[in-house]
C-alpha cells in the first residue's frame, strides 16, 4: 500500500511539473512575450554598442597620445584657424582676340582656323 501511494504521489508530482513546464513554454511563445523578449534584446544590444563606442573612443585617445609622444608633438594649446577665403580673379577661359599670322587669321593657339 505504501508502494502504491509512493508511485501515485511521484506520478502526480511529475504530471504537475510537466504541466507547469509546458505552460511556461507556451507563455514564452505568446506574441506579447516575444515582443518583450525582442525589446529586451534590442536594449541589451544598444548598451553593448554604446560600451563598444566608448571603448573605441578611449583607445583612439590613447593611441593619439602615443603618436604625439612618438612624434614629439606637444600639447596643442592654440587652435589654428583656417585662413579667410580668397576671392580668385576669374580669367576668361578662352581668349576672344584673334591674331593675324603669316597665313591670315589664326586662333588663340596660333593654328589656322578651319
Amino acid at each position: 500500500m505504501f508502494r502504491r501511494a509512493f508511485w501515485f504521489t511521484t506520478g502526480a508530482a511529475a504530471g504537475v511539473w510537466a504541466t507547469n513546464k509546458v505552460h511556461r513554454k507556451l507563455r514564452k511563445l505568446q506574441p506579447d512575450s516575444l515582443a518583450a523578449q525582442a525589446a529586451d534584446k534590442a536594449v541589451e544590444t544598444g548598451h553593448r554598442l554604446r560600451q563598444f563606442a566608448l571603448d573605441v573612443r578611449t583607445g583612439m585617445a590613447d593611441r593619439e597620445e602615443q603618436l604625439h609622444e612618438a612624434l614629439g608633438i606637444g600639447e596643442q594649446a592654440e587652435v589654428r584657424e583656417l585662413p579667410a577665403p580668397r576671392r580668385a580673379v576669374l580669367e576668361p577661359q578662352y581668349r576672344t582676340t584673334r591674331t593675324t599670322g603669316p597665313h591670315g587669321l589664326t586662333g588663340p593657339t596660333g593654328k589656322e582656323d578651319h
Side-chain angles (χ1 to χ4, degrees):
M1 179 157 160
F2 286 113
R3 214 168 162 187
R4 286 185 183 176
F6 171 76
W7 286 114
F8 176 76
T9 307
T10 304
V16 169
W17 176 79
T19 303
N20 283 337
K21 189 136 179 123
V22 167
H23 281 295
R24 273 192 237 132
K25 288 289 184 183
L26 287 175
R27 272 188 248 126
K28 281 185 179 179
L29 294 176
Q30 290 179 346
D32 294 339
S33 178
L34 290 175
Q37 288 176 11
D40 290 342
K41 291 287 184 183
V43 168
E44 181 182 339
T45 303
H47 288 304
R48 286 183 181 176
L49 285 174
R50 183 171 184 262
Q51 186 60 43
F52 175 73
L54 291 173
D55 291 344
V56 168
R57 189 174 294 149
T58 303
M60 284 176 23
D62 291 344
R63 183 63 180 147
E64 187 174 347
E65 186 177 320
Q66 290 172 0
L67 288 173
H68 281 197
E69 288 175 6
L71 295 174
I73 301 173
E75 288 291 323
Q76 295 181 358
E78 63 184 57
V79 176
R80 294 174 41 184
E81 293 185 21
L82 293 175
R86 297 181 185 174
R87 292 188 179 195
V89 177
L90 298 177
E91 293 185 27
Q93 209 170 14
Y94 299 103
R95 287 183 175 176
T96 55
T97 59
R98 294 182 178 248
T99 59
T100 305
H103 301 289
L105 293 176
T106 59
T109 59
K111 297 181 180 176
E112 292 183 19
D113 284 335
H114 294 282

